[in-house]
Amino acid sequence: MELETIEKEAIEKVEQEELQKLSFQEITTEELIKVLSLTIKEDNANKLSVFLTLLSAYSGENQMNIIFSAPSASGKSFVALETADLFPTENIIDLAYASPSAFFHRGIYDKETGKHIIDLREKILIFLDMPNAQLLQNLRPLFSHDKKEIKLEITDRSKKKQELRTKKIVIQGWPAVIFCSANNQLNEQEITRFLLLSPETSQSKIKQAIIEKLKKESDSDRYITEKNANPERQNLKQRIKAIRAQKIKKIILSKELEQKVLDFFLSKNKHLKPKHNRDIAHLLSMTKIFCLLNLWSREVDEQGRLLANQTDFENALMIWNEISEAQERSVSPYLLALYKEVVVACWKDEAELDPQNGMILKEGLTRSEIAKKHLEVYGTAITDLKLRREVIPMLEAGGLISLIENPDDKRKFLIKPNEL
């Protein structure tokens, strides 16, 4: 081992020992939001969810996954990258794109086993654009946390002989994962493994974002210096490093809190579905990561496991109540808002009532009517192709709309909202 490597490891060991000695007071969600709001305006549920997801990389076994789905320029990657700026750079892996096989070439070759090792322990994966669908399929066991060590084989072309050979890959650990995508056509298998989020696009948020962008672009050096000099931001960054240094292996719920979570979930979901297994896992993970955030003021059982408390659950519930409707429908918040603000609103505008019995006379909406309403509501056009391939299929799969035969043209369908 080179002298430089030995010295580097010795310094890192001392730093970790010093970090383990640190202790932090309890931080409230309001205080956390205040720090995150220095650069990310509004979007409170989103930025808290992203922060918890990134912090989950240090949770031992409660790593979370997020898909940010929304139109281009809505701030998907900004929220992810700006939050990631609080975390140690050595733990961040951000990729603009990765092919189904390129991702697996990241591994380090182990001569003893003849396998390529990809160590994702305590890592944060941020895909700035939705990767190839095949890559997502290949990584499903990783997102599901089926095993802490996943073995797979891919074909690789030999450089010398130009012939195909089998390459053995071992992925170690579970990373925290964020995908950012402008494509709304998501596979059900991925949907159940991820939290579905979309950045807010309110006029208030856009205005604040423009002001912040102006500050940054006017003098980027000054902007970065002032941002990094903020004492609360510095304290949070140090807190994150200290949490990582603790090497937490397990976070659990007491029997009493476990029952409270169950009672809440069953009362909220009268008709249970298989996907609710994933939903309650998301809620539990949030609860545990809030516990991790305040580990210095949490109890530890005789086995050295952190005990999440009622405050942690209430904090998680605050976020879950804002994002759960989209999770229940298996659509992104962006599509859910589009359904309510465009499809339902358009239906109410276009529908006619029979004066005798009050029954709605209109059969359904055409895509052109929806596109027109979209332009009216959002001030932007939506293509017929996007409606046909992404929006309508996802809304139908989520049970929000029904497609009925167009009596005027048998080759086309009309769109009818199911819930008003």
Side-chain angles (χ1 to χ4, degrees):
M1 188 178 292
E2 297 181 2
L3 180 61
E4 182 179 346
T5 304
I6 296 175
E7 291 177 348
K8 182 179 178 181
E9 290 182 353
I11 293 172
E12 289 178 351
K13 184 179 180 181
V14 172
E15 289 178 347
Q16 290 299 304
E17 290 174 349
E18 291 301 316
L19 285 168
Q20 288 175 357
K21 297 175 183 177
L22 295 179
S23 178
F24 292 80
Q25 293 182 340
E26 180 131 357
I27 182 172
T28 65
T29 53
E30 290 76 16
E31 291 169 332
L32 180 57
I33 288 172
K34 182 181 178 183
V35 179
L36 298 176
S37 295
L38 290 171
T39 54
I40 307 171
K41 304 307 176 183
E42 299 191 15
D43 252 343
N44 289 343
N46 281 332
K47 62 193 176 193
L48 284 174
S49 298
V50 170
F51 179 84
L52 292 177
T53 296
L54 302 190
L55 189 64
S56 72
Y58 312 132
S59 66
E61 56 182 32
N62 296 109
Q63 288 77 3
M64 296 166 58
N65 309 315
I66 284 177
I67 288 180
F68 252 121
S69 177
S72 299
S74 59
K76 301 180 298 296
S77 58
F78 175 79
V79 176
L81 292 177
E82 197 60 40
T83 308
D85 192 44
L86 292 163
F87 289 73
T89 55
E90 61 269 24
N91 294 140
I92 308 294
I93 303 173
D94 55 81
L95 300 169
Y97 176 80
S99 71
S101 58
F103 181 84
F104 301 107
H105 292 300
R106 302 178 60 86
I108 299 175
Y109 183 68
D110 186 341
K111 293 183 179 179
E112 294 184 6
T113 63
K115 299 176 182 177
H116 290 77
I117 310 298
I118 302 177
D119 189 355
L120 295 180
R121 290 172 295 184
E122 297 188 347
K123 291 295 188 291
I124 295 167
L125 291 181
I126 301 177
F127 291 89
L128 302 180
D129 195 4
M130 180 63 78
N132 187 290
Q134 186 60 50
L135 175 59
L136 283 178
Q137 293 178 27
N138 294 342
L139 292 175
R140 280 174 186 167
L142 181 69
F143 304 145
S144 298
H145 300 173
D146 293 335
K147 293 183 177 180
K148 282 195 173 182
E149 187 170 281
I150 300 173
K151 300 175 183 178
L152 56 125
E153 296 182 354
I154 63 173
T155 54
D156 190 22
R157 189 173 294 278
S158 170
K159 292 182 180 179
K160 294 182 179 180
K161 299 182 180 180
Q162 290 297 304
E163 59 184 18
L164 293 176
R165 61 182 181 181
T166 300
K167 188 174 184 178
K168 296 181 179 180
I169 310 292
V170 176
I171 301 178
Q172 296 177 339
W174 299 325
V177 182
I178 295 182
F179 288 115
C180 303
S181 176
N183 188 340
N184 295 291
Q185 196 170 15
L186 305 173
N187 187 289
E188 184 179 357
Q189 296 240 33
E190 273 68 66
I191 289 174
T192 58
R193 292 167 168 82
F194 289 79
L195 282 175
L196 298 177
L197 301 180
S198 300
E200 292 178 11
T201 54
S202 66
Q203 287 296 299
S204 173
K205 182 208 166 179
I206 294 173
K207 180 179 179 180
Q208 291 187 61
I210 290 173
I211 295 172
E212 197 68 19
K213 185 74 171 180
L214 181 61
K215 290 180 182 178
K216 183 176 182 180
E217 296 302 325
S218 297
D219 189 340
S220 58
D221 292 337
R222 181 187 64 192
Y223 180 86
I224 293 172
T225 300
E226 290 178 354
K227 179 179 74 171
N228 293 332
N230 182 279
E232 293 169 328
R233 182 181 172 87
Q234 287 181 333
N235 184 267
L236 183 58
K237 294 181 75 170
Q238 191 73 350
R239 185 189 198 99
I240 292 169
K241 289 182 179 180
I243 290 172
R244 181 184 63 170
Q246 295 297 321
K247 302 295 181 184
I248 298 299
K249 301 297 184 184
K250 195 89 170 179
I251 307 170
I252 66 170
L253 274 66
S254 66
K255 283 289 184 181
E256 181 183 2
L257 183 55
E258 180 184 334
Q259 187 60 49
K260 288 182 179 179
V261 175
L262 181 61
D263 291 343
F264 161 79
F265 203 81
L266 293 180
S267 66
K268 187 177 178 63
N269 301 285
K270 301 299 183 181
H271 302 286
L272 296 177
K273 305 172 186 177
K275 72 176 295 296
H276 285 142
N277 284 312
R278 303 278 187 186
D279 288 346
I280 195 167
H282 293 322
L283 180 57
L284 289 173
S285 291
M286 286 184 175
T287 301
K288 292 179 179 181
I289 306 309
F290 268 117
C291 173
L292 180 67
L293 179 64
N294 288 303
L295 64 89
W296 296 275
S297 54
R298 296 296 178 266
E299 294 182 17
V300 179
D301 71 0
E302 64 279 359
Q303 299 179 45
R305 302 174 300 180
L306 274 179
L307 283 169
N309 64 22
Q310 180 70 24
T311 300
D312 300 321
F313 175 55
E314 290 173 357
N315 287 334
L317 204 55
M318 179 188 68
I319 300 174
W320 184 253
N321 286 336
E322 287 198 40
I323 68 173
S324 60
E325 185 179 4
Q327 319 308 314
E328 173 66 24
R329 294 295 189 180
S330 295
V331 298
S332 68
Y334 159 70
L335 283 182
L336 186 61
L338 186 149
Y339 167 74
K340 294 178 179 179
E341 297 170 2
V342 176
V343 179
V344 173
C346 185
W347 174 261
K348 291 179 178 180
D349 289 346
E350 298 292 334
E352 298 177 5
L353 296 180
D354 187 321
Q356 294 183 355
N357 57 25
M359 297 294 289
I360 293 176
L361 297 174
K362 192 172 180 66
E363 295 288 340
L365 301 169
T366 63
R367 293 195 301 270
S368 60
E369 287 173 330
I370 293 175
K372 182 180 178 181
K373 188 65 176 180
H374 186 282
L375 180 61
E376 177 188 323
V377 172
Y378 295 128
T380 58
I382 185 168
T383 65
D384 186 68
L385 183 65
K386 189 176 185 68
L387 278 174
R388 287 191 292 110
R389 290 189 176 180
E390 298 180 28
V391 176
I392 292 174
M394 291 302 296
L395 293 181
E396 184 185 19
L400 292 167
I401 62 171
S402 295
L403 301 183
I404 57 179
E405 191 177 83
N406 189 339
D408 299 326
D409 188 343
K410 304 295 184 182
R411 297 168 301 174
K412 298 180 180 180
F413 289 92
L414 295 175
I415 298 100
K416 182 179 180 180
N418 290 335
E419 296 183 10
L420 300 176

